[in-house]
Amino acid sequence: MFRTSLIAAAFVLVGASTAVRAETLKYAFQGTLNTLDPYTLNETFTVSTLGNTYEGLVRRGEDLSIEPALAESWEMLEPTRWRFHLREGVKFHNGNDFTAEDVAFSVDRVRSEGSDLATRIDDDVKVEIVDDHTIDFVLPAPNPILHYEWDTFYIMDKEWTTEHDAVKVTSASDTAPNYASLNANGTGPFAITSHEAGVKTVFEKHEGWWDTPTHNLDTVEFTPIASDATRIAALFSGEMDMVYPIPVQDIRRVNTNLGTVALTGPELRTMFFGLDQRRDELLYSDVKGKNPFKDVRVRKAIYQAIDIEGISKKIMRDLSTPSALMISPLLFSRADEFSRHPYDPEAAKALLAEAGYPDGFSVGMDCPNDRYVNDEAICQAVAAMLARIGIKVDLDAQPKAKYFASILAPGGYDTSFYMLGWTPGSLDSWNPISNLMDCRDDDGKGSPFNIGGFCDERIHELTEKVLRETDTDKRTDMIAEIYRIAHDNVYYVPLHQQGLAWGVRDTIELVQRADNHFKFRFVTKN
Amino acid sequence: MILFAARRLFQALIVMLVVSFLAFTMFRFVGDPINQMVGIETSLEDRAALRESLGLNDPMPLQFARFVAGALRFDFGTSYQFRQPVADLFAKRIPATLELSLTSALFALVIGVPMGIHAGLKRESALSKLFMSLSLVGISLPTFFIGILLIFLFSVTLQWLPSFGRGDTVQIGSWWTTGFLTVSGLKALILPSITLGLYQMTLIMRLIRAEMMEVIRSDYIKFARARGLPDRIVHFRHALKNTLVPVVTITGLQLGSIVAFATITETVFQWPGMGLLFLHAVQNVDIPIMSAYLMLTALLFVTINFIVDLLYFLIDPRLRVGRP
């Protein structure tokens, strides 16, 4: 009797262990994972994907809040000295221990020549190792957002990197392939076991991960699929568990198809138009001898002529949120104080007449056609809307490679009227302010992406202060003031935050973060 | 003979040089590679330094000379996107493209020849009419559309065949990977091969049909029939044999274009071959990959033409007479 029950128990155990299937997640993205070196390319997809293998001192949760990761806690000993207490017992995928040495090494490497993530930590920040699991950062001036971008500043293993002669960041002009660009060794929940750039990358669960996994995956396979139709077909046929992005016009089809759902949500990228407010005469316009965009009434007329709800409905198929700000409302606590100048073509016409252009004028508009969601369609619609108030737009839509080459500093800011999208990497207002709103000179010194080149004394003054201010309320006040000035003066014509659209099989549960990062640790497969 | 070959070889070299020059000048109008290589927040100084280190600031003739010097040693530089030598990337991708091209050429022959014979012999039959209208579809529909159609029928609706990729591959030797040896690899080959081979198939079919109709009217076929030979022998031994000469020539030449123009099929099916690599390179202004691909394509065509020229010389005695 005793014996049979033992045998029965053994059977139950065997049954239980075979019931646990090895779960594989297969997913596709439109672009390729070009390199595994975490410092080579500061671009959302690369950084997001490598974040499953590598980890930073901090990480961001489902709602983008900062959480401890490789650092268990941190404190500001003085405004210019930050102390990070590192997690003990963390191991890299190759079994090496994670220590303060690795952090110091990674800081050096991420700031070295060839790194595209050098903005993660300034050159004049000093690093002091206190002990194996304590490290100090000494700043030249206070910086309350020092660690805001460190969720994507990944810590590499000093020993492994040195051993494989990969201390130098893989640079584009290298002739020999760098070991770190073809292999990865992080501390994250998944290790990369095979990688062929542009073909397939395989991730395996890291058994020795320090955190308790909430996912149930053993293997993850990533395949780039460039063609939209093929990517969606692969989801429909069940070959893929998840594909992203899906074109807005296909969202309905993905939802009505049995077994698949389209997950949509707001993204952090803000789309907007900029106007040349620096030159005394526009490069592309029939107005000679003066620049109409220097007149706030003309800028406001353009703003009020744009039917943003119409764009949202007809072009974005409701996958966009009209915005009054140059930053996503998810990232600025006082966003609800701002509302758009209302859509009002009559008022716009009156403003134009008041500014001395009762019959309007003509202007050239530059637009990318393969960079943002429906970018060219938006530009065409806006051109038509502006025609209604008498502004004749000559639209030039180009591929991104040509577009950015001409409108940015190296191309001499060769534009009068342009479209751009901006995602603040640090998820903080200082990023769009310092990149888009401060003054610049002709070479782009200052705020390099202020392509229109406007210069507001008060914004300039406040920008410096925002960077140094450690008191949160005071800082938010100053940021709000900057946004208020920009809004009242219509330095930019914000459009909307475009939406995210991921296609998922209904057996998959996952978290769609607003920064468009796909983290395997949030996935469960049923 | 040797003089003839040498002259052709010299001409081939000039063609290669001209192609490389044209390709190289074209890239100046594709856009700025730097923007694709860095994130948007990268400072202007870093961008300028990168441009300098890649030699993009050097005068055109110098850049071109450097490119030709490298190409002569089969060194095409390092890909801007992947940071790997272009030669390595190509080596990894060539097996996929060649296997796809061969399979689709085979498909075109195996299906196209019998269809052509039937349509040529029994012009009025219903089946022939069906073949003819099908071939019209094959010739007039664009490749990518056929591919998407097949995907939606066989992958999404019926779920018989995969919609993308190569399936499981087996490594042979140090660098060749093959999909011929696994079930999923073979299944993955079917749709892209049909897509890529459909045009060639209809071409072969129509060619054979026309030739067949021509030959069947000739005197020696009438004599064969008069001798009381069975239809099978007349059709296959006497007629078909004589239609094959132009077919073989065309197929040979078409193989070159299948390899070179698999780009669209590879994109639709995410087939990890050279064409996909090239198209991706164009979007990202990856100049080293683009130039190497164009050079290789030019080399392929020049080589095939060179061989065809030599073959004509051997086959056609008239070429030999009256030439110095």
Side-chain angles (χ1 to χ4, degrees), chain B residues 71 116 163 218 307:
Chain B
S163 57
S218 59
I307 292 171

Side-chain angles (χ1 to χ4, degrees), chain B residues 254-294:
Chain B
Q254 286 290 325
L255 186 64
S257 61
I258 288 184
V259 174
F261 302 123
T263 321
I264 292 171
T265 308
E266 290 189 2
T267 313
V268 172
F269 290 95
Q270 195 65 28
W271 190 264
M274 308 265 290
L276 188 65
L277 189 69
F278 173 70
L279 213 74
H280 199 75
V282 172
Q283 280 158 3
N284 290 291
V285 202
D286 198 333
I287 295 175
I289 289 187
M290 286 195 283
S291 41
Y293 182 81
L294 287 176

